[in-house]
Amino acid sequence: MKKILIAFNVFISILVIVNLIFVYTFFYIKKEYKNVNINVTKGTNFQQIYKKMGLNYGIIDKIYLKMTGSSSNLKIGTYRFNGKFSRYQVIKKIHNKDSNGIRLTIPEGFTKKQVYERIDALGLGSQEEIDNALKEIDFPYPHENNNFEGYFYPETYIFPEGTTTKQVMVTILTEFLKKFPSEKYPDKKKFYDQLKLASIVEAEVSDLADKPKVAGVFIKRLEIDMKLESDATLKYELGRQALRGELKAMETPYNSYKVKGLPPTPIGNPPIETFRAVEKAEVNDNLFFFTYKGKTYYSKTHDEHLKKRKETGQLK
């Protein structure tokens, strides 16, 4: 009987200790955050949220979230943390739907497909809803077959809960028109060609200093009726890096190794800085370029191009 009583007391002591650890961990330990934004999208769970907030996701967290039902039906939105928060306060803030709206970030160079996927993940509209919304919007630049590739301006947008898909698309396209007012570009075909080229340059190089030079190489090629030979154009259509055999053989308007001229549409959504680089392109005798270990090399002839690739170790 004495042993049973001792065992019972040990069990109770353990429960008390576990409970104290739980209370201390959840309610008293606080971590300080400085303007941290947590974007909750479709499928986001608290394990992912904990990771983004630098918190360890342990057995106590799993048990608490399971027992309280807090791990399901998370409300899509952007939750801003500024100050000291305990785990309980983090969970409560998200479950009270205390969000700062829905944060949509379109990175520079994102494709239409990627933009659509992100909008869908944030609950702002499915592909069908986006396409239907775009059909209702009067837009001054070319967008044949309702294709708005190139016009989803890279920026961070905050939308209040309840924003319609059309309102989302109007906001994004309005931002584009702020950067590129229609009256400033009366020659819409020329503008569209420059936007196409800007999207290719954006995909090829990231250094702003190289963008006018790379744009100049492509413009020079267009002037002498030479193929652009940009891997990025076929990569856009395939959604992955193109294989060498595909570059040589695949018949598609987006394979600039097979087809002369610009692709039918932009291959992404470039920022205004890249567009400006195309407008101020440095056109000279350079017809070739390659980037290796963060540096871009330029050449006038193919032999010179191959020589530089061998010298840098890119070609062996």
Side-chain angles (χ1 to χ4, degrees):
M1 186 68 182
K2 187 177 179 180
K3 289 183 179 180
I4 295 174
L5 187 60
I6 291 172
F8 179 75
N9 287 334
V10 170
F11 177 72
I12 294 298
S13 298
I14 291 172
L15 282 181
V16 170
I17 291 170
V18 169
N19 189 57
L20 287 173
I21 292 173
F22 165 74
V23 171
Y24 185 69
T25 301
F26 262 81
F27 295 94
Y28 291 98
I29 294 181
K30 294 184 179 182
K31 185 172 180 178
E32 187 168 4
Y33 301 94
K34 293 184 178 179
N35 298 322
V36 173
N37 291 303
I38 300 298
N39 224 19
V40 175
T41 62
K42 288 181 181 178
T44 299
N45 57 48
F46 267 106
Q47 187 171 357
Q48 294 166 327
I49 293 170
Y50 270 40
K51 185 176 181 180
K52 290 177 182 177
M53 298 188 74
L55 298 171
N56 292 322
Y57 186 76
I59 187 66
I60 294 176
D61 304 283
K62 293 178 184 178
I63 293 172
Y64 175 80
L65 292 169
K66 187 73 174 177
M67 290 178 64
T68 59
S70 301
S71 58
S72 58
N73 300 320
L74 299 187
K75 185 66 176 179
I76 288 174
T78 302
Y79 298 84
R80 189 180 187 85
F81 294 88
N82 189 32
K84 293 183 177 180
F85 290 83
S86 67
R87 297 181 186 220
Y88 172 74
Q89 288 171 322
V90 169
I91 295 168
K92 184 179 179 183
K93 183 179 177 71
I94 293 175
H95 267 280
N96 283 351
K97 305 172 186 177
D98 186 16
S99 73
N100 294 79
I102 301 173
R103 186 185 186 91
L104 168 65
T105 298
I106 301 176
E108 297 173 350
F110 243 40
T111 65
K112 179 184 78 170
K113 182 176 183 293
Q114 291 172 310
V115 173
Y116 275 37
E117 288 172 349
R118 185 158 290 190
I119 290 173
D120 184 31
L122 290 170
L124 293 169
S126 64
Q127 179 177 332
E128 182 180 0
E129 289 170 332
I130 295 169
D131 284 336
N132 289 337
L134 290 172
K135 288 176 184 177
E136 299 177 3
I137 297 174
D138 185 24
F139 194 71
Y141 289 111
H143 51 284
E144 190 175 348
N145 298 322
N146 205 40
N147 191 333
F148 281 76
E149 184 71 90
Y151 302 126
F152 303 123
Y153 194 77
E155 185 59 270
T156 294
Y157 305 87
I158 305 292
F159 299 103
E161 188 178 343
T163 302
T164 66
T165 303
K166 184 175 180 180
Q167 288 170 330
V168 170
M169 304 320 296
V170 166
T171 300
I172 296 171
L173 295 179
T174 298
E175 186 64 28
F176 182 91
L177 294 176
K178 286 179 183 177
K179 297 292 191 296
F180 305 101
S182 175
E183 61 274 11
K184 187 177 178 179
Y185 301 95
D187 188 339
K188 298 298 187 285
K189 183 184 182 303
K190 180 182 177 182
F191 174 85
Y192 196 47
D193 284 344
Q194 288 179 318
L195 188 65
K196 291 177 187 179
L197 186 52
S199 71
I200 297 173
V201 172
E202 180 66 27
E204 289 282 0
V205 286
S206 57
D207 193 329
L208 189 58
D210 279 310
K211 290 180 179 181
K213 299 174 185 177
V214 170
V217 170
F218 286 133
I219 290 173
K220 182 69 175 179
R221 284 182 169 231
L222 290 170
E223 287 177 348
I224 64 173
D225 201 30
M226 183 178 175
K227 297 184 185 76
L228 293 182
E229 296 188 352
S230 168
D231 293 21
T233 58
L234 187 54
K235 179 182 178 181
Y236 168 76
E237 181 162 293
L238 296 175
R240 57 169 173 78
Q241 192 65 49
L243 303 174
R244 183 175 296 181
E246 292 172 328
L247 291 170
K248 291 180 179 180
M250 189 167 284
E251 298 288 347
T252 164
Y254 287 95
N255 187 355
S256 57
Y257 278 78
K258 296 284 289 183
V259 180
K260 291 180 180 179
L262 293 163
T265 69
I267 62 167
N269 295 276
I272 191 169
E273 291 80 9
T274 306
F275 187 88
R276 294 281 180 263
V278 170
E279 288 184 308
K280 299 176 181 179
E282 298 177 18
V283 183
N284 47 46
D285 292 333
N286 288 330
L287 286 170
F288 301 88
F289 75 92
F290 69 93
T291 300
Y292 186 63
K293 292 185 177 180
K295 183 178 179 181
T296 302
Y297 299 82
Y298 302 89
S299 303
K300 295 179 177 61
T301 67
H302 190 251
D303 287 342
E304 182 187 356
H305 174 67
L306 292 177
K307 183 181 178 182
K308 286 182 179 179
R309 290 181 64 187
K310 289 179 181 177
E311 288 173 348
T312 57
Q314 193 206 37
L315 188 65
K316 296 179 181 180

